[in-house]
Amino acid sequence: METVFHYDSPLGGMTMAGRGDALTGLWFDGQKYFMSGLTGKEEEKLLPVFGETINWLDKYFAGLATPPVPKTAPRGTPYQKALWDVLSSIPYGGTMTYKEAALETARRMDRKPCPRAAGSAAGRNPILIIIPCHRLIASDGSMGGYAAGVDRKIKLLEAERRARWDISAR
């Protein structure tokens, strides 16, 4: 059974979901695809993985060195999971274009690249911030979309850039 817990971030309320010892979801409340894949009958309680996630998020939002990411188990298609792995390789404070993400995902899967598919898979990322889809930008440098709102995406990127002085500790 899936369990949920609420977190109040500086950018608004967030809901996390987990099963066993793994984080399966982290969304801004009310965002596009909010709690996708859940039934609405989840139990609310503090799992150990939620404690780890809260610690990680507290440090992230404070601009401090974050501990290793909690164990994650996002649900998705093989392509989505491959793209989310690519996103997880984008360095803190860095960015990658949708095209670059599509090319790298295609290389890893030995298939043809499709930037549109990359954008769609990023938009369905169920573990925001920890799987950093906010670090994806358009080829022309514009922000592109973000399921939790472009305003949050900009704030996340700005906060990471301000904290880059401590990047060696990440």
Side-chain angles (χ1 to χ4, degrees):
M1 175 180 205
E2 207 89 19
T3 304
V4 296
F5 200 75
H6 187 78
Y7 175 79
D8 290 316
S9 87
L11 298 180
M14 299 184 81
T15 298
M16 56 188 82
R19 178 174 283 170
D21 65 347
L23 186 69
T24 59
L26 180 62
W27 306 270
F28 281 101
D29 295 345
Q31 75 166 62
K32 190 174 185 181
Y33 308 117
F34 178 63
M35 293 179 61
S36 180
L38 301 182
T39 64
K41 297 179 181 178
E42 295 75 24
E43 178 182 13
E44 183 162 346
K45 72 177 185 179
L46 182 61
L47 296 176
V49 72
F50 295 160
E52 293 171 27
T53 303
I54 290 167
N55 181 47
W56 191 95
L57 290 168
D58 285 347
K59 291 191 177 353
Y60 175 86
F61 283 117
L64 301 173
T66 54
V69 298
K71 181 179 176 185
T72 61
R75 286 183 297 273
T77 67
Y79 182 85
Q80 288 170 331
K81 289 179 180 183
L83 178 88
W84 299 335
D85 283 344
V86 169
L87 298 182
S88 295
S89 73
I90 304 171
Y92 182 90
T95 58
M96 176 182 279
T97 67
Y98 290 94
K99 181 179 180 180
E100 290 168 333
L103 289 168
E104 179 58 19
T105 303
R107 186 192 67 73
R108 291 182 185 192
M109 296 187 77
D110 193 28
R111 61 186 279 186
K112 243 178 126 172
C114 180
R116 234 180 219 165
S120 177
R124 292 186 180 272
N125 171 14
I127 304 177
L128 293 190
I129 304 175
I130 291 174
I131 298 175
C133 57
H134 63 279
R135 296 180 188 153
L136 278 180
I137 60 171
S139 294
D140 66 3
S142 64
M143 288 295 114
Y146 189 56
V150 174
D151 56 329
R152 281 192 180 116
K153 180 177 189 170
I154 291 168
K155 288 176 183 174
L156 291 168
L157 289 171
E158 286 174 349
E160 287 184 11
R161 289 182 180 129
R162 280 195 306 274
R164 284 194 75 168
W165 59 270
D166 194 22
I167 197 165
S168 62
R170 291 185 192 283

